Amino acid sequence: MSIILAQQLSEKTKNFSIDETLRFLASEFQNEIVFSTSFGQEDQVITALITAEDLPITIFTLDTGRLFQETYDVFHKTLKKYKKEIKVYFPESVAVEELLNKKGPNSFYESIENRKECCFIRKVAPLTKALSGNKIWITGLRAEQSDNRNDLNFFEYDAHFKIIKFNPLLKWTLEEVQHYIDHHNVPQNVLHKQGFISIGCAPCTRAIAAGEDIRAGRWWWESSHKECGLHEAKKE
């Protein structure tokens, strides 16, 4: 049924602008629509769009406990500029304590399995809690971010989280994102100007060199698909 609803939303909004689609969704899914931000460039654009019209869309973020200070700085600037609450979800302390007691603070460097375990505890489990009870999840995914995001649609049913994802910036280029930020004076993480394109946890993110893939700076010691479990292709 939710797959059908995703298709219906795609058809209904196919001629809408992003602003019009956000207004429509906020009206149709009152108290059941959320936006997840990690304060990256794409997410900052969407925050600006939501707050421009004070849309009743809940904004939340996941604090993994290992973020860059620069990420907290842009979090603070965003609160000051847009005057809208951003709900914070933390990992369960018992799970984090157990992980560190068993494997230490840097187990994620040792294997993909260990890294995904850390991502699950710090990101996937809190996200599951944040999405619970909602029907629409707005994301900042763009098709050019990675090969496994090329075949995404604006509306997708995520069978794992049992929710419809709306990806408003799916077809935007990084240049378009940066232009919007500059034109509208949107707060952005200073690390973006230092070669950090995709920013996650501090121990798992590095700057990329000229010509490298956008996601090359995430879990750079791996040759996997570079996903943490939040946005893997899980469709019915």
Coordinates of all heavy atoms in Angstrom, one line a residue, residues 47-117:
T47 N 16.4 22.9 5.2 CA 16.0 23.6 6.4 C 15.6 25.1 6.0 O 14.6 25.5 6.6 CB 17.2 23.7 7.4 OG1 17.5 22.4 7.9 CG2 16.9 24.6 8.6
A48 N 16.3 25.7 5.2 CA 16.0 27.1 4.7 C 14.6 27.1 4.0 O 13.8 28.0 4.3 CB 17.1 27.6 3.8
L49 N 14.4 26.1 3.2 CA 13.1 26.0 2.5 C 11.9 25.8 3.5 O 10.8 26.4 3.4 CB 13.1 24.9 1.5 CG 14.0 25.1 0.3 CD1 14.2 23.8 -0.5 CD2 13.5 26.2 -0.6
I50 N 12.1 24.9 4.5 CA 11.1 24.6 5.4 C 10.8 25.8 6.3 O 9.6 26.2 6.6 CB 11.5 23.4 6.3 CG1 11.4 22.1 5.5 CG2 10.5 23.3 7.5 CD1 12.0 20.9 6.2
T51 N 11.8 26.5 6.8 CA 11.6 27.6 7.7 C 11.2 28.9 7.0 O 10.6 29.8 7.7 CB 12.9 27.9 8.5 OG1 14.0 28.1 7.6 CG2 13.3 26.7 9.4
A52 N 11.4 29.0 5.7 CA 11.0 30.2 5.0 C 9.5 30.4 5.1 O 9.1 31.6 5.1 CB 11.4 30.1 3.5
E53 N 8.7 29.4 5.2 CA 7.3 29.5 5.3 C 6.8 28.9 6.6 O 5.6 28.7 6.8 CB 6.6 28.8 4.1 CG 7.0 29.4 2.7 CD 6.2 28.8 1.6 OE1 4.9 28.7 1.8 OE2 6.8 28.5 0.6
D54 N 7.7 28.7 7.5 CA 7.3 28.1 8.8 C 6.4 26.9 8.7 O 5.4 26.8 9.4 CB 6.7 29.2 9.7 CG 6.6 28.8 11.2 OD1 7.4 28.0 11.6 OD2 5.7 29.3 11.9
L55 N 6.8 26.0 7.9 CA 6.0 24.8 7.6 C 6.0 23.9 8.9 O 7.0 23.7 9.5 CB 6.5 24.0 6.4 CG 6.4 24.7 5.1 CD1 7.1 23.9 4.0 CD2 5.0 25.0 4.7
P56 N 4.9 23.3 9.2 CA 4.8 22.4 10.4 C 5.4 21.0 10.1 O 4.8 20.0 10.1 CB 3.3 22.3 10.6 CG 2.7 22.4 9.2 CD 3.6 23.4 8.5
I57 N 6.7 21.0 9.9 CA 7.5 19.8 9.6 C 8.6 19.7 10.7 O 9.3 20.7 10.9 CB 8.2 19.9 8.2 CG1 7.1 19.9 7.1 CG2 9.2 18.7 8.1 CD1 7.7 20.1 5.7
T58 N 8.6 18.6 11.4 CA 9.5 18.4 12.5 C 10.9 18.2 11.9 O 11.1 17.3 11.0 CB 9.1 17.2 13.3 OG1 7.9 17.4 14.0 CG2 10.2 16.9 14.4
I59 N 11.9 18.9 12.4 CA 13.3 18.8 12.0 C 14.0 18.0 13.1 O 13.9 18.4 14.3 CB 14.0 20.1 11.7 CG1 13.2 20.8 10.6 CG2 15.4 19.9 11.3 CD1 13.8 22.2 10.2
F60 N 14.8 17.0 12.8 CA 15.5 16.3 13.8 C 16.9 16.0 13.3 O 17.2 16.0 12.1 CB 14.8 15.0 14.3 CG 14.9 13.9 13.3 CD1 16.0 13.0 13.3 CD2 13.8 13.7 12.4 CE1 16.0 11.9 12.4 CE2 13.9 12.6 11.5 CZ 14.9 11.7 11.5
T61 N 17.8 15.7 14.3 CA 19.2 15.3 13.9 C 19.6 14.2 14.8 O 19.1 14.0 15.9 CB 20.1 16.5 14.1 OG1 21.4 16.2 13.5 CG2 20.4 16.9 15.5
L62 N 20.6 13.5 14.4 CA 21.2 12.4 15.2 C 22.6 12.8 15.7 O 23.5 13.1 14.9 CB 21.4 11.1 14.3 CG 20.1 10.6 13.6 CD1 20.5 9.4 12.7 CD2 19.0 10.3 14.5
D63 N 22.7 12.9 17.0 CA 24.0 13.2 17.6 C 24.7 11.9 18.0 O 24.3 11.3 19.0 CB 23.8 14.1 18.8 CG 25.1 14.6 19.4 OD1 26.2 14.0 19.1 OD2 25.2 15.6 20.1
T64 N 25.6 11.5 17.2 CA 26.3 10.2 17.4 C 27.2 10.2 18.6 O 27.7 9.2 19.1 CB 27.1 9.8 16.2 OG1 28.1 10.7 16.0 CG2 26.2 9.8 15.0
G65 N 27.6 11.4 19.1 CA 28.6 11.5 20.1 C 30.0 11.7 19.6 O 30.9 11.8 20.4
R66 N 30.2 11.6 18.3 CA 31.5 11.7 17.7 C 31.5 12.7 16.5 O 32.3 12.5 15.6 CB 32.0 10.3 17.3 CG 32.0 9.3 18.4 CD 32.9 8.2 18.2 NE 34.3 8.6 18.3 CZ 35.3 7.8 18.5 NH1 35.1 6.5 18.6 NH2 36.6 8.2 18.5
L67 N 30.7 13.7 16.6 CA 30.7 14.7 15.5 C 31.8 15.7 15.6 O 32.4 15.9 16.7 CB 29.3 15.4 15.6 CG 28.0 14.6 15.5 CD1 26.8 15.4 15.5 CD2 28.0 13.7 14.2
F68 N 32.1 16.4 14.5 CA 33.1 17.4 14.5 C 32.5 18.6 15.3 O 31.3 18.9 15.3 CB 33.3 17.9 13.1 CG 34.1 17.0 12.2 CD1 33.5 16.1 11.4 CD2 35.5 17.1 12.2 CE1 34.2 15.3 10.5 CE2 36.2 16.3 11.4 CZ 35.6 15.4 10.5
Q69 N 33.4 19.4 15.9 CA 33.0 20.6 16.6 C 32.4 21.6 15.6 O 31.4 22.3 15.9 CB 34.2 21.3 17.3 CG 33.8 22.6 18.0 CD 32.7 22.5 19.0 OE1 32.7 21.5 19.8 NE2 31.7 23.4 19.0
E70 N 32.9 21.5 14.4 CA 32.4 22.4 13.3 C 30.9 22.1 13.0 O 30.2 23.0 12.6 CB 33.2 22.3 12.0 CG 34.6 22.9 12.2 CD 35.7 22.0 12.8 OE1 35.3 20.9 13.3 OE2 36.9 22.3 12.8
T71 N 30.5 20.8 13.1 CA 29.1 20.5 12.9 C 28.2 21.1 14.0 O 27.2 21.6 13.7 CB 29.0 18.9 12.9 OG1 29.8 18.4 11.8 CG2 27.5 18.5 12.7
Y72 N 28.7 21.0 15.3 CA 28.0 21.6 16.3 C 27.9 23.2 16.1 O 26.9 23.8 16.5 CB 28.6 21.3 17.7 CG 28.5 19.9 18.1 CD1 29.7 19.1 18.2 CD2 27.3 19.3 18.4 CE1 29.6 17.8 18.6 CE2 27.2 18.0 18.8 CZ 28.3 17.2 18.9 OH 28.2 15.9 19.3
D73 N 28.9 23.7 15.6 CA 28.9 25.2 15.3 C 27.8 25.6 14.3 O 27.1 26.5 14.5 CB 30.3 25.6 14.8 CG 31.4 25.6 15.8 OD1 31.1 25.5 17.0 OD2 32.6 25.6 15.5
V74 N 27.7 24.8 13.2 CA 26.7 25.1 12.2 C 25.3 24.8 12.8 O 24.3 25.5 12.5 CB 27.0 24.4 10.9 CG1 26.7 23.0 10.9 CG2 26.2 25.1 9.8
F75 N 25.2 23.8 13.6 CA 23.9 23.5 14.3 C 23.5 24.7 15.1 O 22.3 25.2 15.0 CB 24.2 22.3 15.3 CG 23.0 21.8 16.0 CD1 23.2 20.6 16.9 CD2 21.8 22.4 16.0 CE1 22.1 20.1 17.6 CE2 20.7 21.9 16.7 CZ 20.9 20.7 17.5
H76 N 24.4 25.3 15.9 CA 24.1 26.4 16.7 C 23.7 27.6 15.8 O 22.7 28.3 16.1 CB 25.3 26.8 17.6 CG 25.0 27.9 18.6 ND1 24.2 27.7 19.7 CD2 25.4 29.2 18.6 CE1 24.2 28.8 20.4 NE2 24.9 29.7 19.8
K77 N 24.4 27.9 14.8 CA 24.1 29.0 13.9 C 22.8 28.8 13.2 O 22.0 29.8 13.0 CB 25.2 29.1 12.8 CG 26.5 29.6 13.3 CD 27.6 29.6 12.2 CE 28.9 30.0 12.7 NZ 30.0 30.0 11.7
T78 N 22.4 27.6 12.9 CA 21.1 27.3 12.3 C 20.0 27.6 13.2 O 19.0 28.2 12.8 CB 21.1 25.8 11.8 OG1 22.2 25.6 10.9 CG2 19.8 25.5 11.1
L79 N 20.1 27.2 14.5 CA 19.1 27.5 15.5 C 18.9 29.0 15.6 O 17.8 29.5 15.7 CB 19.5 26.9 16.8 CG 19.4 25.4 17.0 CD1 20.0 25.0 18.3 CD2 18.0 24.9 16.9
K80 N 20.0 29.7 15.7 CA 20.0 31.2 15.8 C 19.3 31.9 14.7 O 18.5 32.8 14.8 CB 21.4 31.7 16.0 CG 22.1 31.3 17.4 CD 21.4 32.0 18.5 CE 22.1 31.7 19.8 NZ 21.5 32.4 21.0
K81 N 19.6 31.4 13.4 CA 19.1 32.1 12.2 C 17.7 31.8 12.0 O 16.9 32.7 11.7 CB 19.9 31.7 11.0 CG 19.5 32.3 9.7 CD 20.4 32.0 8.6 CE 19.9 32.6 7.3 NZ 20.0 34.1 7.2
Y82 N 17.2 30.5 12.1 CA 15.9 30.2 11.7 C 14.9 30.1 12.9 O 13.7 29.9 12.6 CB 16.0 28.9 10.9 CG 16.8 29.0 9.7 CD1 18.0 28.3 9.5 CD2 16.4 29.8 8.6 CE1 18.7 28.4 8.4 CE2 17.1 30.0 7.5 CZ 18.3 29.3 7.4 OH 19.1 29.4 6.2
K83 N 15.4 30.1 14.1 CA 14.4 30.1 15.2 C 13.5 29.0 15.2 O 12.3 29.1 15.6 CB 13.6 31.4 15.3 CG 14.5 32.7 15.1 CD 15.5 32.9 16.2 CE 16.2 34.2 16.1 NZ 17.3 34.4 17.0
K84 N 13.9 27.8 14.8 CA 13.1 26.6 14.8 C 13.7 25.5 15.5 O 14.9 25.2 15.3 CB 12.8 26.2 13.3 CG 11.8 25.0 13.3 CD 11.4 24.7 11.8 CE 10.5 23.4 11.7 NZ 9.2 23.7 12.3
E85 N 13.0 24.8 16.4 CA 13.5 23.7 17.2 C 14.0 22.6 16.3 O 13.4 22.2 15.3 CB 12.5 23.2 18.1 CG 12.9 22.0 18.9 CD 11.9 21.4 19.8 OE1 10.7 21.9 19.7 OE2 12.2 20.4 20.6
I86 N 15.2 22.1 16.6 CA 15.7 20.9 16.0 C 15.8 19.8 17.0 O 16.6 19.9 18.0 CB 17.1 21.1 15.3 CG1 16.9 22.2 14.2 CG2 17.7 19.8 14.7 CD1 18.2 22.6 13.6
K87 N 15.0 18.8 16.9 CA 15.0 17.7 17.9 C 16.2 16.8 17.8 O 16.6 16.4 16.7 CB 13.7 16.9 17.8 CG 13.5 15.9 19.0 CD 12.1 15.3 18.9 CE 11.8 14.5 20.1 NZ 10.5 13.9 20.2
V88 N 16.8 16.5 18.9 CA 18.1 15.7 18.9 C 17.8 14.3 19.4 O 17.2 14.1 20.5 CB 19.2 16.4 19.8 CG1 20.5 15.6 19.7 CG2 19.4 17.8 19.3
Y89 N 18.3 13.3 18.7 CA 18.3 11.9 19.1 C 19.7 11.4 19.4 O 20.5 11.6 18.5 CB 17.6 11.1 18.1 CG 16.1 11.3 18.0 CD1 15.6 12.3 17.2 CD2 15.2 10.5 18.8 CE1 14.2 12.6 17.2 CE2 13.8 10.8 18.7 CZ 13.3 11.8 17.9 OH 12.0 12.0 17.9
F90 N 19.9 10.8 20.5 CA 21.2 10.2 20.9 C 21.1 8.7 20.8 O 20.0 8.1 21.0 CB 21.6 10.6 22.3 CG 21.9 12.1 22.5 CD1 21.0 13.0 22.9 CD2 23.2 12.5 22.2 CE1 21.3 14.3 23.0 CE2 23.5 13.9 22.4 CZ 22.6 14.8 22.8
P91 N 22.3 8.0 20.7 CA 22.3 6.6 20.8 C 22.0 6.2 22.3 O 22.2 7.0 23.2 CB 23.7 6.2 20.4 CG 24.5 7.4 20.6 CD 23.6 8.6 20.4
E92 N 21.6 5.0 22.5 CA 21.3 4.5 23.8 C 22.7 4.3 24.5 O 23.6 3.7 24.0 CB 20.6 3.1 23.8 CG 19.2 3.2 23.3 CD 18.3 4.0 24.2 OE1 18.5 4.0 25.4 OE2 17.3 4.6 23.6
S93 N 22.8 4.9 25.7 CA 24.1 5.0 26.4 C 24.6 3.6 26.8 O 25.8 3.3 26.7 CB 24.0 5.8 27.7 OG 23.0 5.3 28.6
V94 N 23.7 2.7 27.1 CA 24.0 1.3 27.5 C 24.7 0.6 26.3 O 25.7 -0.1 26.5 CB 22.8 0.5 28.0 CG1 23.2 -1.0 28.2 CG2 22.3 1.1 29.3
A95 N 24.1 0.8 25.1 CA 24.7 0.1 23.9 C 26.1 0.7 23.6 O 27.0 -0.1 23.2 CB 23.8 0.3 22.7
V96 N 26.3 2.0 23.7 CA 27.6 2.6 23.5 C 28.6 2.1 24.5 O 29.7 1.8 24.2 CB 27.5 4.1 23.5 CG1 28.9 4.8 23.4 CG2 26.6 4.6 22.4
E97 N 28.2 2.1 25.8 CA 29.1 1.6 26.8 C 29.5 0.2 26.6 O 30.7 -0.2 26.7 CB 28.4 1.8 28.2 CG 28.3 3.2 28.7 CD 27.4 3.3 29.9 OE1 26.9 2.3 30.4 OE2 27.2 4.4 30.4
E98 N 28.6 -0.6 26.2 CA 28.9 -2.1 26.0 C 29.8 -2.2 24.8 O 30.8 -3.0 24.9 CB 27.6 -2.8 25.7 CG 27.8 -4.3 25.5 CD 26.5 -5.1 25.3 OE1 25.4 -4.6 25.8 OE2 26.5 -6.2 24.7
L99 N 29.6 -1.4 23.7 CA 30.5 -1.5 22.6 C 31.9 -1.1 22.9 O 32.9 -1.8 22.6 CB 30.0 -0.6 21.5 CG 30.9 -0.4 20.2 CD1 31.0 -1.8 19.5 CD2 30.3 0.6 19.3
L100 N 32.1 0.0 23.6 CA 33.4 0.5 24.0 C 34.1 -0.5 25.0 O 35.3 -0.7 25.0 CB 33.3 1.9 24.5 CG 33.6 3.0 23.5 CD1 32.4 3.0 22.4 CD2 33.7 4.4 24.1
N101 N 33.3 -1.0 25.9 CA 33.9 -1.9 26.9 C 34.4 -3.2 26.3 O 35.4 -3.8 26.7 CB 32.9 -2.3 28.0 CG 32.7 -1.1 29.0 OD1 33.6 -0.4 29.2 ND2 31.5 -1.0 29.6
K102 N 33.7 -3.6 25.2 CA 34.0 -4.9 24.6 C 35.1 -4.7 23.5 O 36.0 -5.5 23.4 CB 32.8 -5.5 23.9 CG 31.9 -6.3 24.8 CD 30.8 -6.9 23.9 CE 29.9 -7.8 24.8 NZ 28.8 -8.5 24.0
K103 N 35.0 -3.6 22.8 CA 35.9 -3.5 21.6 C 36.7 -2.2 21.6 O 37.5 -2.0 20.6 CB 35.0 -3.6 20.3 CG 34.3 -4.9 20.1 CD 33.6 -4.9 18.8 CE 32.9 -6.3 18.6 NZ 32.2 -6.4 17.3
G104 N 36.6 -1.3 22.5 CA 37.3 -0.1 22.5 C 36.7 1.0 21.7 O 35.7 0.8 21.0
P105 N 37.4 2.2 21.6 CA 36.7 3.3 21.0 C 36.9 3.3 19.4 O 36.2 4.1 18.8 CB 37.5 4.5 21.6 CG 38.8 3.9 21.9 CD 38.6 2.5 22.4
N106 N 37.8 2.5 18.9 CA 38.1 2.6 17.5 C 37.9 1.3 16.7 O 38.6 1.0 15.7 CB 39.6 3.1 17.2 CG 39.8 4.5 17.7 OD1 38.9 5.3 17.6 ND2 40.9 4.8 18.3
S107 N 37.0 0.5 17.2 CA 36.8 -0.8 16.6 C 36.4 -0.8 15.1 O 36.6 -1.7 14.3 CB 35.7 -1.6 17.4 OG 34.5 -1.0 17.4
F108 N 35.7 0.3 14.7 CA 35.2 0.5 13.4 C 36.3 0.5 12.3 O 36.0 0.2 11.1 CB 34.4 1.8 13.3 CG 35.0 3.0 13.9 CD1 36.0 3.7 13.3 CD2 34.6 3.4 15.2 CE1 36.6 4.8 13.9 CE2 35.2 4.5 15.8 CZ 36.2 5.2 15.1
Y109 N 37.5 0.7 12.7 CA 38.6 0.7 11.7 C 39.1 -0.8 11.4 O 39.8 -1.0 10.4 CB 39.9 1.4 12.3 CG 39.8 2.9 12.4 CD1 40.1 3.6 13.5 CD2 39.3 3.7 11.3 CE1 40.0 5.0 13.6 CE2 39.2 5.1 11.4 CZ 39.6 5.7 12.5 OH 39.5 7.1 12.6
E110 N 38.6 -1.7 12.2 CA 39.2 -3.1 12.1 C 38.4 -3.9 11.1 O 39.0 -4.9 10.6 CB 39.1 -3.7 13.5 CG 40.0 -3.0 14.5 CD 39.8 -3.5 15.9 OE1 38.9 -4.4 16.1 OE2 40.5 -3.1 16.8
S111 N 37.2 -3.7 10.8 CA 36.4 -4.5 9.9 C 35.1 -3.7 9.5 O 34.7 -2.8 10.2 CB 36.0 -5.8 10.5 OG 35.1 -5.7 11.5
I112 N 34.6 -4.1 8.3 CA 33.3 -3.5 7.9 C 32.2 -3.9 8.9 O 31.3 -3.0 9.2 CB 33.0 -4.0 6.5 CG1 34.0 -3.4 5.4 CG2 31.5 -3.5 6.1 CD1 33.7 -3.8 4.0
E113 N 32.3 -5.1 9.4 CA 31.2 -5.5 10.3 C 31.3 -4.7 11.6 O 30.2 -4.3 12.1 CB 31.5 -7.0 10.7 CG 31.2 -8.0 9.6 CD 32.2 -8.0 8.5 OE1 33.4 -7.6 8.8 OE2 31.9 -8.3 7.3
N114 N 32.5 -4.4 12.1 CA 32.6 -3.5 13.3 C 32.1 -2.1 13.0 O 31.5 -1.5 13.8 CB 34.0 -3.5 13.8 CG 34.4 -4.7 14.6 OD1 33.6 -5.6 14.9 ND2 35.7 -4.8 15.0
R115 N 32.5 -1.6 11.8 CA 32.0 -0.3 11.5 C 30.5 -0.2 11.4 O 29.9 0.8 11.9 CB 32.7 0.2 10.1 CG 32.6 1.7 9.9 CD 31.4 2.1 9.1 NE 31.4 1.6 7.8 CZ 30.4 1.6 7.0 NH1 29.2 2.0 7.4 NH2 30.5 1.1 5.7
K116 N 29.9 -1.2 10.8 CA 28.4 -1.2 10.6 C 27.8 -1.3 12.0 O 26.7 -0.8 12.2 CB 28.0 -2.2 9.6 CG 28.3 -1.9 8.2 CD 27.7 -2.8 7.2 CE 27.9 -2.3 5.8 NZ 27.2 -3.2 4.8
E117 N 28.4 -2.1 12.9 CA 27.9 -2.2 14.2 C 27.9 -0.9 14.9 O 26.9 -0.5 15.6 CB 28.8 -3.2 15.0 CG 28.3 -3.4 16.5 CD 29.2 -4.3 17.3 OE1 30.4 -4.3 16.9 OE2 28.8 -4.9 18.3

